[in-house]
Amino acid sequence: MTQRTPPTIRFYTSNEGKVREVRELLEGRGYRVAWSRRELTEPQADDLEEVARAKLAAVPRGKDLALVEDSGIFVAALGGFPGVYSAYVLRTLGLPGILRLVDGKPRAAEFRAVVGLRDGTRTRFFHGAVKGTLAPRPRGSGGFGYDPIFIPDGKTQTTAEMTSAEKNALSHRGKALRGLARYLAPPGRVSRSA
Ligand code: ITT
């Protein structure tokens, strides 16, 4: 009996936390995720899809499916800031500095992700979002980035206090990746060759 080689999806990112979550979700669905550790140049843009499109345009063309992702946290009381600037703001202010920005303000926030896929000559984008609130102080050691201060609606834990499976089940990235998985293998189509 011949064994089907799992199709390879090559994920271009500098963020190891994203890789862990993408692997957990897509490898469970029969794909192999190869990590190309890259800091892709990001344009000044106010839209995650525009950034994801630019990242995808910067990755080399090869035989594998190419994957990029752009994400951020949008705080309503700050007019959506830091949004597309989330990585820069986290690097410069850290979580305590970000919490100071919302001191005394409503704490509603939303994580959003756009996953970009190049499949041959086609490019496709998949969106996911999760609403929540900012915790009063950082809690938990799982996940990465803003996870210690984000509490999804309907939960009491931060996403850093969840297992990665629990986080993937509700997260912005998990939702976007499930859209991508449905595109790659729509219900009824058993397998897809690379
Ligand atoms: P890339 O190389 O893929 O660009 P990056 O970490 O620079 O990796 P982004 O430019 O997409 O990623 O910036 C997203 C920022 O939002 C970054 O600071 C992340 O830590 C944070 N972020 C995104 N998703 C998150 C999640 O699920 N949990 C916690 N923080 C998250």
Side-chain angles (χ1 to χ4, degrees), residues 11-18 21 35-42 48 51 55 68-73 82-91 95 111-114 130 142-150 159-160 167-168 171-174:
F11 185 21
Y12 294 85
T13 179
S14 63
N15 185 322
E16 191 170 4
K18 290 184 181 179
E21 292 178 10
W35 179 16
S36 286
R37 188 175 208 143
R38 296 283 164 83
E39 187 92 51
L40 297 168
T41 312
E42 297 186 21
L48 293 177
V51 178
K55 285 180 175 177
V68 298
E69 192 261 32
D70 203 66
S71 45
I73 191 162
V84 288
Y85 307 108
S86 295
Y88 174 74
V89 170
L90 183 60
R91 270 197 309 275
L95 295 178
F111 260 131
R112 295 180 200 154
V114 176
V130 56
F144 62 94
Y146 291 80
D147 281 327
I149 63 167
F150 184 74
T159 36
K167 182 184 165 188
N168 264 343
S171 76
H172 52 318
R173 183 167 302 102

Side-chain angles (χ1 to χ4, degrees), residues 66-190:
L67 184 75
V68 298
E69 192 261 32
D70 203 66
S71 45
I73 191 162
F74 295 73
V75 180
L78 303 178
F81 187 79
V84 288
Y85 307 108
S86 295
Y88 174 74
V89 170
L90 183 60
R91 270 197 309 275
T92 51
L93 298 185
L95 295 178
I98 290 156
L99 288 177
R100 276 195 294 278
L101 293 179
V102 289
D103 211 16
K105 297 192 169 72
R107 306 183 77 83
E110 184 171 303
F111 260 131
R112 295 180 200 154
V114 176
V115 162
L117 179 80
R118 195 173 59 225
D119 177 6
T121 55
R122 275 184 302 188
T123 55
R124 294 290 307 252
F125 296 90
F126 305 89
H127 294 239
V130 56
K131 289 183 193 301
T133 51
L134 294 179
R137 67 194 68 85
R139 287 194 333 244
S141 55
F144 62 94
Y146 291 80
D147 281 327
I149 63 167
F150 184 74
I151 304 173
D153 283 353
K155 303 284 177 191
T156 52
Q157 305 139 289
T158 66
T159 36
E161 294 176 304
M162 297 179 179
T163 64
S164 56
E166 286 168 337
K167 182 184 165 188
N168 264 343
L170 55 76
S171 76
H172 52 318
R173 183 167 302 102
K175 289 174 185 170
L177 288 170
R178 280 189 289 278
L180 174 134
R182 279 193 297 275
Y183 164 76
L184 289 174
R189 196 161 129 202
V190 178

Side-chain angles (χ1 to χ4, degrees), residues 18-36:
K18 290 184 181 179
V19 177
R20 270 197 311 272
E21 292 178 10
V22 167
R23 281 210 164 118
E24 181 164 316
L25 209 133
L26 293 180
E27 294 193 345
R29 284 169 166 76
Y31 295 92
R32 177 175 168 268
V33 176
W35 179 16
S36 286

